[in-house]
């Protein structure tokens, strides 16, 4: 018979003999323990002053005190358990709850059931689009983020390939939507237009070279380019910013580019379009050659978003497909502007300008007025001598 069953028989008066005597001793012992614990605890203060002994009411008083002690003890245990549960839950859940209110770089936006390495974290996808659009020669599509809770992350942005073999990893911290990179130059948006504009472009910003009769960049014209190229080392790789004599339709440019094969690495095209007859020559473009991970992201919403797609890469010689690639980049950037605000606040075209560029390209097609290449001195000098090229500016390859 269980202890609970014995108590039930005792309460109903059905327990007799030695078992009844033994149970009463146990009850008395438990009462004595409860009284001692109560008197030693902080709840003893609730008893107040002890009234003078009254033999007639002694039994009733004891019963009341016992009931109060039991109630307070149970309440203390319940409150303590609740507080402990809240503290434990807070310690485990609160850091993640705070994360939800801020940009989460490690949030997986596309899963690959066959290969987890091909699953796409949010910041990796955002950076792939951002760097392809706005960072000529500095394409990155991988971000490693380690969450620390409360909206804090340690981030690392590796370079997957480098012409000179020296890969540059950019590290930093993301704290509640504020990004701080310890290297502020590698992923820096160009401060001004890095290309010299063709003379037939009507443009409202820039430097007008009266002698050349055209808008120019800070890098100067062909004579300046020749002098600069002469100082380069023969066997070193450089990132060349090549300005064309005239705006070229994409397919014409691509055929010329492939015949010359000027680049052994990533190659980026600067896009020209017009709005109300005025050229929109922002530092914006897209890749026709790239190294990185092959990834697919929402192909129905963003057709040909990546030229490194495993399932549906664009034909890089087809203007219609590459135009769709560029438009998908713009669509994604317009819908996901958070990284641009953190990485380059106020340094990229506004949503209004991006929308104008999008409308112009959709209507007028892809037109190219400059491009970047990774090449050695001899190849850059060959490009400068080409009749379709106006000028070349070079800087050491990263």
């Amino acid at each position: 018979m269980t202890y609970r069953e014995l108590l039930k028989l005792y309460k109903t008066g059905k327990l007799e003999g030695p078992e009844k005597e033994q149970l009463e001793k146990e009850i008395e012992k438990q009462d004595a323990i409860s009284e001692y614990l109560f008197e030693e605890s902080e709840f003893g203060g609730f008893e107040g002053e002890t009234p003078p002994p009254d033999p007639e009411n002694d039994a009733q008083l004891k019963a009341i005190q016992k009931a109060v002690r039991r109630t307070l003890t149970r309440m203390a245990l319940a409150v303590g358990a609740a507080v402990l549960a809240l503290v434990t839950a807070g310690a485990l859940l609160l850091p993640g709850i705070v994360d939800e209110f801020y940009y989460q770089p490690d949030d997986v936006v596309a899963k690959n059931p066959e290969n987890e390495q091909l699953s796409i974290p949010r910041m990796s996808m955002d950076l792939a689009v951002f760097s392809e659009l706005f960072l000529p020669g500095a394409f990155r599509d991988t971000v490693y983020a380690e969450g620390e809770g409360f909206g804090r992350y340690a981030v690392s942005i590796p370079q997957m390939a480098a012409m000179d073999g020296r890969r540059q990893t950019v590290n930093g911290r993301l704290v509640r939507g504020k990004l701080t990179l310890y290297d502020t130059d590698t992923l820096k948006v160009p401060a001004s237009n890095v290309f010299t504009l063709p003379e037939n472009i009507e443009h409202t910003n820039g430097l007008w070279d009266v002698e050349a009769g055209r808008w120019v960049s800070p890098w100067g014209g062909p004579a300046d380019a020749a002098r600069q190229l002469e100082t380069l080392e023969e066997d070193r790789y450089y990132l060349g910013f090549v300005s064309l004599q005239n705006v070229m339709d994409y397919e014409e440019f691509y055929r010329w580019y492939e015949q010359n094969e000027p680049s052994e690495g990533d190659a980026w095209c600067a896009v020209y379009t017009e709005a109300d007859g005025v050229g929109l020559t922002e530092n914006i473009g897209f890749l026709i050659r790239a190294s990185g991970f092959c990834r697919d992201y929402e192909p129905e919403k963003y057709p040909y978003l990546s030229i490194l797609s495993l399932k549906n890469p664009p034909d890089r010689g087809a203007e219609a497909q590459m135009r769709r690639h560029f438009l998908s980049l713009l669509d994604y950037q317009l819908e996901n502007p958070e990284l641009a605000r953190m990485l380059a606040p106020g340094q990229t075209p506004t949503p209004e300008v991006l929308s104008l560029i999008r409308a112009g390209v959709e209507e007028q097609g892809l037109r190219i007025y400059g491009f970047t290449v990774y090449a050695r001195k001899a190849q850059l000098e060959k490009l400068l001598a080409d009749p379709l090229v106006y000028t070349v500016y070079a800087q050491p390859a990263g």
Side-chain angles (χ1 to χ4, degrees):
M1 185 177 297
T2 66
Y3 195 74
R4 187 181 297 276
E5 289 171 339
L6 287 172
L7 285 172
K8 187 173 181 181
L9 290 174
Y10 177 78
K11 186 176 180 181
T12 57
K14 296 180 180 179
L15 191 65
E16 301 291 343
E19 290 181 335
K20 178 180 178 182
E21 293 177 4
Q22 181 63 31
L23 183 59
E24 287 175 341
K25 289 179 181 179
E26 289 292 329
I27 293 173
E28 182 62 29
K29 182 170 68 174
Q30 294 297 329
D31 285 345
I33 293 173
S34 297
E35 275 188 41
Y36 175 78
L37 292 175
F38 180 78
E39 289 168 358
E40 293 295 320
S41 72
E42 61 180 348
F43 301 111
F46 282 96
E47 293 186 52
E49 297 182 1
T50 305
D54 185 347
E56 295 181 1
N57 295 324
D58 186 61
Q60 185 177 4
L61 183 60
K62 278 191 173 183
I64 293 173
Q65 288 176 339
K66 186 183 297 185
V68 170
R69 284 196 296 270
R70 288 175 179 170
T71 300
L72 291 175
T73 301
R74 290 171 183 169
M75 185 184 299
L77 292 173
V79 171
V83 170
L84 180 60
L86 287 173
V87 170
T88 302
L92 294 175
L93 301 178
L94 189 57
I97 293 173
V98 174
D99 288 345
E100 296 292 332
F101 289 93
Y102 299 97
Y103 183 88
Q104 299 178 70
D106 56 352
D107 184 26
V108 175
V109 296
K111 292 184 178 180
N112 188 312
E114 299 177 0
N115 188 341
E116 289 187 0
Q117 287 188 335
L118 298 181
S119 296
I120 308 176
R122 182 181 183 185
M123 193 169 178
S124 293
M125 190 70 244
D126 289 354
L127 184 60
V129 172
F130 176 87
S131 62
E132 180 167 355
L133 282 172
F134 304 121
L135 302 180
F139 176 68
R140 302 289 177 96
D141 67 347
T142 302
V143 179
Y144 298 113
E146 183 176 350
E148 299 172 354
F150 298 102
R152 297 175 301 188
Y153 300 86
V155 297
S156 181
I157 305 173
Q159 183 177 12
M160 305 311 294
M163 298 302 296
D164 59 3
R166 294 177 294 181
R167 300 181 184 182
Q168 295 176 309
T169 296
V170 178
N171 297 309
R173 289 184 62 77
L174 176 62
V175 180
R176 290 183 282 278
K178 183 178 180 180
L179 180 63
T180 302
L181 299 180
Y182 305 138
D183 173 356
T184 58
D185 293 327
T186 301
L187 301 180
K188 186 177 181 180
V189 173
S192 61
N193 198 313
V194 293
F195 300 98
T196 296
L197 308 178
E199 60 185 62
N200 58 346
I201 288 180
E202 181 182 346
H203 191 62
T204 56
N205 297 310
L207 301 173
W208 179 258
D209 186 328
V210 176
E211 185 177 341
R214 64 191 298 158
W215 299 99
V216 298
S217 76
W219 320 128
D224 299 303
R227 285 191 291 270
Q228 189 228 5
L229 296 182
E230 182 62 31
T231 66
L232 302 184
E233 299 176 24
E234 294 288 346
D235 296 325
R236 185 172 183 180
Y237 277 99
Y238 294 88
L239 175 63
F241 296 86
V242 183
S243 300
L244 298 172
Q245 286 281 4
N246 296 291
V247 177
M248 298 179 68
D249 291 334
Y250 174 76
E251 289 191 3
E252 177 189 4
F253 164 78
Y254 186 79
R255 287 193 297 270
W256 171 83
Y257 183 92
E258 288 298 298
Q259 288 172 359
N260 284 273
E261 296 184 347
S263 179
E264 299 178 31
D266 296 354
W268 185 90
C269 298
V271 175
Y272 169 77
T273 190
E274 295 178 354
D276 298 326
V278 177
L280 300 172
T281 50
E282 301 283 348
N283 281 309
I284 191 169
F286 62 95
L287 292 164
I288 56 175
R289 291 185 183 176
S291 55
F293 283 110
C294 294
R295 288 171 171 165
D296 292 275
Y297 180 78
E298 296 194 27
E300 295 182 2
K301 186 175 183 180
Y302 306 110
Y304 302 127
L305 180 62
S306 173
I307 63 173
L308 299 173
S309 168
L310 282 171
K311 300 178 181 178
N312 191 29
D315 178 354
R316 301 179 196 187
E319 189 276 339
Q321 293 189 28
M322 292 305 289
R323 183 198 313 188
R324 184 63 260 177
H325 166 62
F326 183 65
L327 294 177
S328 289
L329 290 172
L330 291 174
D331 289 339
Y332 184 94
Q333 183 61 39
L334 284 165
E335 294 179 18
N336 301 274
E338 295 90 343
L339 183 63
R341 293 173 186 157
M342 294 187 294
L343 189 59
Q347 300 174 45
T348 57
T350 64
E352 292 75 19
V353 173
L354 288 178
S355 297
L356 287 174
I357 293 172
R358 190 195 187 289
V361 170
E362 190 167 37
E363 178 184 348
Q364 303 156 19
L366 276 180
R367 292 185 286 173
I368 310 303
Y369 71 100
F371 61 97
T372 65
V373 294
Y374 284 102
R376 291 187 174 96
K377 175 182 177 179
Q379 185 63 56
L380 293 175
E381 290 178 327
K382 180 182 176 182
L383 280 172
L384 182 60
D386 193 288
L388 295 183
V389 172
Y390 176 67
T391 189
V392 177
Y393 168 74
Q395 64 184 35

